[in-house]
Amino acid sequence: MEKQGDIKKSEVVDGAIPWYKNETFLLAFLFSGLCLCASQLTLPGSTGPVIQLDNVIPDRLLTQLRGGTPPPTRSVASEEFTDDHRFEALLQDTDAFSGPVLLARAPVEKIPNEAVGNVGILKRPLFPLIADSFMAGSAASSKLSRFQQENASLHHALNKRLSKLGCNNEALVLPCLEISTDGQCKRKALDSFFFHLRRVALGRAASPARLSWFGDSLTAGDGFTGELRRLFQGQFGDGGHGFLPMRPPARFMGFQGAHVSYRGQWDVETLLVRKEPRPLGLMGAAFRRPRGASIKYRTRDENRHFDMLGVLWSAPDGTATVTLSWPGREQPLIQTLGGLADKPHVAWIKLNNENDGEINELDIRGFSPRATYYGVMVERSGPGVVVDNLGIIKGRAPLLLRNEREHFQTVLELRGTHLGVFFYGVNFATLGMPGPKRLARYRDRYAEVLTTARGPRSQRDCLVLSILTRGERGQQGVHHRASVGPLANTQQEAALKAGCAFWNMYKVMGGADGVKSWFNRPKRLIGTDLAHPTGQGYRYLARRLYLALLWAFDDYLQRGLPPSPLCTGGECYRCQRK
C-alpha cells in the first residue's frame, strides 16, 4: 500500500523528483516569502522621538502661578530598572516613546546679520508659550518674571511625559560648581549646556546646541552617538550631522543617518602615534598633503537637509581653499579661506541653491596642498542639536594630552562646543588589575584632560561616562574583569575633581553581574567580545542617558522657578534619589 506523502511512480522521470516536489526548492520559496514580509515591517526605535512633549499648560497651573498654593509634592523614587516592563520600554517603541516632536521647523522671518552671512536669528520662539498671556495683566506679570514663565511652560511639557517613565537619573552625578551666600547651590555641572538647550527649545538660538563626544571604538562606530543624535534631534530639532574627519583616522568609523564616502589619500598624524604634544585639531588627527582627496556626504533620509558647512584648518601662509558642489548648483563653489598664519581657523560657508531647493548631498574637494585640515562640520542653521562623533579606535583618555593644550582649547572654542562628553576605559581595562599608584596617575591625567577641555575660564560643561564593562570567560562562565569596578570609581573621582558631571554606565549595566546578564539575554545586548554592545545595547544605553539628561534639564528648569514646586492635577513629579 502506498504511504501518505510518498511520490507516485508516474511523477518520477528517469529517477528524478519533479522540481515542485524538491525539498530545497520548497525551503527556498518559503524563506523568500518570509524575507518579503519582513521587509515591509518597521523596525522598533527607528523613527520618532522618545518622548512626546505636550506644550499646553492647564488652567490649574495658571492659577498656581498667579499666587495659588501648590498641592503636595509626589516624589518618584529612583529605580534600578529591574522592572522588565520598563527595561523593554527602553528597547522598543511604546506609547511613552512616540509622538510628535517638541519643536516644529515652521518658516520664520530672518534678521540680516553680516557676521554670519545669510544665517538669520529667529524673531519668535518655535515653542508656543503661555507666557504671552501672562504678560497681558500686570498682576500676573508681577508674580513671575518672563524667564520663570518660560521655565514653567517647558517644565510642564517635559514633566508630563517623564513622570510616566519613572526616575532614571540615579547614575547621573552633578557636582555643585558655585555656592551662594546663603549656602545653596547656585550653579551645577551641565547648567551652561542646559542654558543653551533652553534657548534651542524656545527657538531663540541662531545655531544648534553642540555635544562633542570623545571616545574609543565604542564611540567610533556611531552606535551610541548616532542614537543619541536621533533622540535629541527628534525632540529639539535637527541641527545636522556634525563633525566629519577628512577621512577615518583609524581603520573604521561609522556614520548613522548618513552615507559618507572618501576618495584619495592624505598624510595623517594622530595622537595614537605622537608622544610629544602637537596641534592635532578637534578629533586628535591632522590631515596634510591631499592627493586626489574628496568627501561625499549624503543624508540617508532625503527629507533631512542642511545648509551650512564648517571647515577647520590652518596654513603656514594663512590661506586655504575648498571646492563644493551639490545637486541644484550648476557651477562648483570655489571658496578661498583666509586667516592668520599657523593658527587654527573655522570657516562657515552658507550653501544656497539657485532654485531655493533643499540640500541633502554635498561633494567636498579642491583642498590646498600646503594647508592642514582638521575636519568639516555639516549643520543646519537655526535651533537644533548636534552630536559630534570624535571616537578613535584604540583611543584612551590620557592620549588627549598629546594634543597641544592651547591648540585644543582653541579648536573647541572654534567648534562652539557646549558640552564635551568623554567615554573611555575599555582599552585601559585590558592591561590587567591596576594598583593604587597606577589608578592615581590615571585619575590625575584624566582630570587634566577634562580641565583642559573645560577651557581657561571653565566656561564649558563636560560629562564623563564610566567604562561600560570588559568581560572574559572562565570556568564559571562569563564574568567581568576585576579591573572594571575600580576603574569606574577612579573615573568618577577624575570627573568630580575637574568639575564635570558623571554618569555611571557600569552601574546602569548592572554592575559586576551586568556583562553576564546582558550576554545571556535571548537578544544579546553585548557582543561576543564582551566589550562592545550590540545595536540594541547601544540603543538602550543612549535612551537611558537621554532620559537622565532630560530629568536633569527638568531639574534645571525648576531651579529657575519659585521654591514651591509647580504641580498640576494634584501631582508633581521630581526625580529624587532614595
Side-chain angles (χ1 to χ4, degrees):
M1 181 179 293
E2 191 176 78
K3 297 181 180 179
Q4 186 178 2
D6 288 349
I7 300 174
K8 298 179 181 179
K9 292 182 179 180
S10 61
E11 295 180 342
V12 179
V13 181
D14 296 331
I17 300 175
W19 62 272
Y20 57 84
K21 295 280 187 175
N22 187 284
E23 292 183 1
T24 303
F25 167 77
L26 293 175
L27 289 174
F29 181 78
L30 178 61
F31 179 74
S32 300
L34 292 174
C35 290
L36 179 62
C37 294
S39 67
Q40 305 303 313
L41 299 176
T42 301
L43 291 176
S46 59
T47 58
V50 166
I51 299 176
Q52 175 183 350
L53 297 184
D54 187 351
N55 55 25
V56 178
I57 297 184
D59 293 337
R60 292 179 181 177
L61 180 57
L62 300 184
T63 302
Q64 295 163 21
L65 291 174
R66 291 187 172 100
T69 303
T73 300
R74 185 167 77 87
S75 300
V76 181
S78 64
E79 303 172 31
E80 295 294 334
F81 261 77
T82 56
D83 184 88
D84 291 337
H85 174 74
R86 286 185 176 169
F87 188 91
E88 293 299 333
L90 287 169
L91 299 176
Q92 309 293 337
D93 279 340
T94 66
D95 291 340
F97 286 81
S98 60
V101 298
L102 168 62
L103 299 178
R105 277 189 171 270
V108 294
E109 300 178 61
K110 292 184 176 180
I111 302 173
N113 188 336
E114 296 180 358
V116 291
N118 293 326
V119 183
I121 59 176
L122 302 174
K123 280 188 175 180
R124 58 182 175 81
L126 295 177
F127 188 92
L129 290 175
I130 199 67
D132 292 331
S133 65
F134 267 66
M135 301 307 291
S138 58
S141 60
S142 64
K143 292 294 181 182
L144 289 179
S145 66
R146 175 84 181 202
F147 180 86
Q148 292 173 328
Q149 294 164 15
E150 293 167 348
N151 276 12
S153 178
L154 291 174
H155 158 62
H156 173 76
L158 274 170
N159 199 258
K160 184 175 180 181
R161 287 291 174 175
L162 286 173
S163 60
K164 294 185 178 181
L165 293 171
C167 275
N168 143 42
N169 68 346
E170 71 283 347
L172 183 63
V173 180
L174 301 177
C176 182
L177 304 181
E178 185 178 352
I179 300 176
S180 61
T181 55
D182 60 354
Q184 300 297 318
C185 184
K186 186 177 180 181
R187 183 168 65 97
K188 290 184 178 181
L190 300 188
D191 277 7
S192 178
F193 169 67
F194 289 149
F195 172 81
H196 291 283
L197 191 62
R198 180 184 182 276
R199 288 179 58 82
V200 167
L202 295 173
R204 294 183 184 146
S207 58
R210 300 184 179 101
L211 293 83
S212 295
W213 189 300
F214 300 86
D216 47 37
S217 57
L218 276 77
T219 298
D222 207 32
F224 205 151
T225 47
E227 177 67 2
L228 194 69
R229 185 184 303 118
R230 184 185 72 83
L231 299 176
F232 263 115
Q233 293 181 350
Q235 296 301 170
F236 294 93
D238 182 1
H241 183 86
F243 183 89
L244 297 173
M246 309 312 291
R247 78 163 203 198
R251 60 182 179 272
F252 170 75
M253 189 170 182
F255 305 94
Q256 296 287 330
H259 294 280
V260 184
S261 59
Y262 294 89
R263 293 184 180 275
Q265 299 293 325
W266 291 87
D267 290 348
V268 186
E269 181 183 17
T270 74
L271 48 73
L272 297 178
V273 295
R274 277 287 179 184
K275 292 187 177 180
E276 69 279 3
R278 292 275 293 165
L280 298 174
L282 183 65
M283 191 180 193
F287 302 84
R288 302 182 180 90
R289 288 182 282 278
R291 299 176 292 281
S294 69
I295 307 172
K296 189 169 184 178
Y297 173 86
R298 177 168 59 88
T299 61
R300 291 185 184 272
D301 183 354
E302 62 181 12
N303 294 318
R304 292 188 62 195
H305 310 103
F306 54 90
D307 60 3
M308 299 292 296
L309 179 76
V311 183
L312 271 172
W313 62 281
S314 66
D317 59 356
T319 60
T321 60
V322 64
T323 301
L324 309 176
S325 59
W326 60 87
R329 183 179 177 87
E330 296 181 0
Q331 299 294 329
L333 173 63
I334 302 175
Q335 196 80 15
T336 301
L337 316 176
L340 298 176
D342 291 319
K343 296 291 184 181
H345 301 278
V346 63
W348 285 101
I349 304 169
K350 178 71 175 180
L351 308 177
N352 287 316
N353 262 338
E354 284 82 352
N355 58 1
D356 293 330
E358 301 280 9
I359 301 171
N360 63 0
E361 184 176 339
L362 182 64
D363 189 271
I364 313 168
R365 59 181 69 240
F367 304 107
S368 302
R370 297 188 61 191
T372 299
Y373 295 85
Y374 303 113
V376 298
M377 291 80 68
V378 178
E379 290 193 0
R380 189 174 177 182
S381 56
V385 176
V386 172
V387 180
D388 293 333
N389 175 6
L390 303 172
I392 298 182
I393 293 177
K394 296 184 179 179
R396 296 196 302 272
L399 295 183
L400 293 176
L401 295 175
R402 296 179 179 179
N403 199 348
E404 191 175 270
R405 180 186 180 94
E406 185 177 349
H407 172 86
F408 185 42
Q409 291 177 335
T410 300
V411 293
L412 278 170
E413 188 69 25
L414 292 173
R415 177 65 187 105
T417 298
H418 299 121
L419 175 61
V421 184
F422 299 83
F423 179 28
Y424 292 99
V426 69
N427 294 315
F428 185 86
T430 63
L431 303 177
M433 184 63 184
K437 290 185 178 180
R438 190 166 157 219
L439 285 174
R441 174 174 169 77
Y442 179 88
R443 177 199 62 217
D444 294 341
R445 297 188 69 193
Y446 203 161
E448 184 180 353
V449 168
L450 300 173
T451 303
T452 300
R454 292 198 64 199
R457 297 179 302 278
S458 300
Q459 72 275 21
R460 189 175 297 106
D461 272 329
C462 51
L463 168 64
V464 175
L465 311 185
S466 78
I467 179 176
L468 177 64
T469 190
R470 186 82 197 199
E472 58 186 3
R473 293 173 176 83
Q475 295 181 351
Q476 304 299 323
V478 171
H479 60 90
H480 83 298
R481 297 193 180 190
S483 59
V484 175
L487 180 57
N489 294 333
T490 301
Q491 290 174 328
Q492 179 171 353
E493 294 173 6
L496 300 183
K497 183 177 180 180
C500 296
F502 179 76
W503 194 55
N504 196 330
M505 201 179 311
Y506 175 62
K507 178 181 179 181
V508 168
M509 187 183 188
D513 297 328
V515 64
K516 182 178 180 179
S517 63
W518 276 37
F519 186 76
N520 291 333
R521 284 179 60 85
K523 292 184 179 180
R524 289 176 179 169
L525 299 181
I526 197 164
T528 55
D529 66 349
L530 304 180
H532 294 78
T534 62
Q536 198 172 33
Y538 278 123
R539 282 199 300 274
Y540 172 73
L541 290 171
R543 292 184 174 195
R544 284 294 300 269
L545 175 59
Y546 179 66
L547 291 177
L549 289 175
L550 285 190
W551 270 115
F553 182 46
D554 185 54
D555 178 72
Y556 166 81
L557 295 171
Q558 291 189 67
R559 283 187 276 126
L561 295 172
S564 298
L566 296 169
C567 311
T568 62
E571 294 181 338
C572 182
Y573 300 92
R574 296 201 69 166
C575 198
Q576 299 177 353
R577 295 180 177 85
K578 291 179 180 178

